[in-house]
Amino acid sequence: MRKTVLSLMSVAALALAGCNNAPSSSQSTDTGAASAGSAETATAAKVVSQVSGTISLRGSIQPSATAQLVINLVDVSATAAGSAPLASKTSPAGTFPQPFQLTFNPAQVKPDDLYVVQVILTDGERHYVMPMQAPVLAKGSKNDGVAIELVAEQTPGEKVLAAFTDDQKQLGGMKVSHGTKLDPNASRGWQVFRQAGKIQFIRELVDYGDKGFTSTDYAYKDGKVWAVVQQTMANSGAKPSSIDRAGWSDDGTLVLKQHQVGSDVQTLDDDAAAKLHRQAMDILSLATNGKNK
């Protein structure tokens, strides 16, 4: 009988111990809530609201103090054409390399769209461009430490001068004719260079006696003046005391305007450029007996 009572007491004790060790319903709820809170916190931490990086320049052409820098975060997907940037910042260009940071509203980001950072640097007539795009926000793209490099484009005037110089190098392969004229105050001679029957260049030498000497190259397209480079010197064997350069775009806008004395290059004024243009038309008429071709 005593053994039976002891056995029943042992069973009761084990059952009570089991009840004490089992988790309560309130404990289970608290643990689940904590896990859910941690997951939400982790998800919130992954939400990107900034892109940042560094902008640098390639080459030796540095912008002036008046240059302007514009940085945009743009959706470049076909369906987003014309939409406003997600973020934008405009400031004086400053010095390079320099860091940048754009803050945006992540709720405006469309998961399937393509986003890039676009940098626009403008310094008067000169523009700096990005040779490579800078994608962000998409899977596999960096959102911080984004490296952007800008390259200076030629100005419209530099493009005209480069084309003029290239054409000068082709003169040896062109058909050449010659002419001279003696004026009361000057003697002049010229060479007319033709290619495919069209006048490309006229080189004019004018001796003004004790008043100096000029050597001028005139470039033409379809009978229209597009560039002039004139060297002024004391005599035919002297170094140039000045060099004037003028050039016009296809629509007739004056884009190349340089007055150089030694190594100092200044802006050629509009009246001086217009005078060179008139000289170009005068020598074209003189060298072709008024036919201009």
Side-chain angles (χ1 to χ4, degrees), residues 138-212:
K139 183 178 180 181
S141 298
K142 296 175 65 175
N143 299 317
D144 54 5
V146 179
I148 294 176
E149 185 178 53
L150 300 177
V151 178
E153 286 189 325
Q154 287 183 318
T155 65
E158 288 172 343
K159 291 178 181 178
V160 168
L161 185 57
F164 176 87
T165 303
D166 286 343
D167 279 6
Q168 273 186 321
K169 295 176 182 178
Q170 308 303 318
L171 294 183
M174 298 182 189
K175 184 178 179 179
V176 186
S177 59
H178 305 264
T180 60
K181 183 183 180 183
L182 183 62
D183 293 329
N185 300 316
S187 62
R188 67 184 67 233
W190 59 83
Q191 294 175 299
V192 180
F193 298 85
R194 289 181 172 86
Q195 191 171 51
K198 294 184 178 181
I199 294 177
Q200 304 294 317
F201 255 75
I202 296 179
R203 177 167 290 165
E204 182 187 33
L205 305 178
V206 183
D207 190 345
Y208 296 97
D210 59 0
K211 293 184 179 180

Side-chain angles (χ1 to χ4, degrees), residues 35-280:
S35 298
S38 298
E40 290 175 0
T41 302
T43 301
K46 293 179 181 179
V47 175
V48 178
S49 61
Q50 290 182 342
V51 293
S52 60
T54 302
I55 303 170
S56 60
L57 300 184
R58 183 196 303 174
S60 59
I61 301 178
Q62 296 292 314
S64 70
T66 59
Q68 288 291 307
L69 182 68
V70 179
I71 311 171
N72 292 323
L73 176 58
V74 183
D75 186 342
V76 293
S77 304
T79 55
S83 61
L86 266 69
S88 184
K89 182 180 293 185
T90 301
S91 64
T95 58
F96 294 88
Q98 63 173 271
F100 76 91
Q101 180 175 291
L102 292 175
T103 301
F104 60 94
N105 181 0
Q108 295 179 334
V109 177
K110 300 176 183 178
D112 296 328
D113 282 9
L114 176 62
Y115 295 88
V116 299
V117 177
Q118 290 181 344
V119 178
I120 304 167
L121 176 57
T122 306
D123 188 11
E125 292 184 333
R126 189 179 305 285
H127 297 267
Y128 295 75
V129 297
M130 295 172 57
M132 297 182 65
Q133 283 193 336
V136 291
L137 304 183
K139 183 178 180 181
S141 298
K142 296 175 65 175
N143 299 317
D144 54 5
V146 179
I148 294 176
E149 185 178 53
L150 300 177
V151 178
E153 286 189 325
Q154 287 183 318
T155 65
E158 288 172 343
K159 291 178 181 178
V160 168
L161 185 57
F164 176 87
T165 303
D166 286 343
D167 279 6
Q168 273 186 321
K169 295 176 182 178
Q170 308 303 318
L171 294 183
M174 298 182 189
K175 184 178 179 179
V176 186
S177 59
H178 305 264
T180 60
K181 183 183 180 183
L182 183 62
D183 293 329
N185 300 316
S187 62
R188 67 184 67 233
W190 59 83
Q191 294 175 299
V192 180
F193 298 85
R194 289 181 172 86
Q195 191 171 51
K198 294 184 178 181
I199 294 177
Q200 304 294 317
F201 255 75
I202 296 179
R203 177 167 290 165
E204 182 187 33
L205 305 178
V206 183
D207 190 345
Y208 296 97
D210 59 0
K211 293 184 179 180
F213 186 94
T214 60
S215 174
T216 312
D217 281 354
Y218 306 95
Y220 304 85
K221 288 181 181 178
D222 298 323
K224 296 181 180 180
V225 185
W226 66 274
V228 179
V229 175
Q230 183 171 83
Q231 301 180 69
T232 301
M233 52 204 80
N235 54 66
S236 60
K239 292 182 178 181
S241 57
S242 66
I243 304 175
D244 289 338
R245 303 180 183 91
W248 295 264
S249 62
D250 291 341
D251 64 0
T253 303
L254 178 65
V255 293
L256 172 61
K257 34 191 174 181
Q258 294 181 356
H259 174 70
Q260 181 175 348
V261 178
S263 60
D264 182 26
V265 180
Q266 303 172 353
T267 301
L268 181 70
D269 65 64
D270 290 350
D271 289 342
K275 181 180 178 181
L276 291 176
H277 194 281
R278 288 194 298 271
Q279 289 179 8

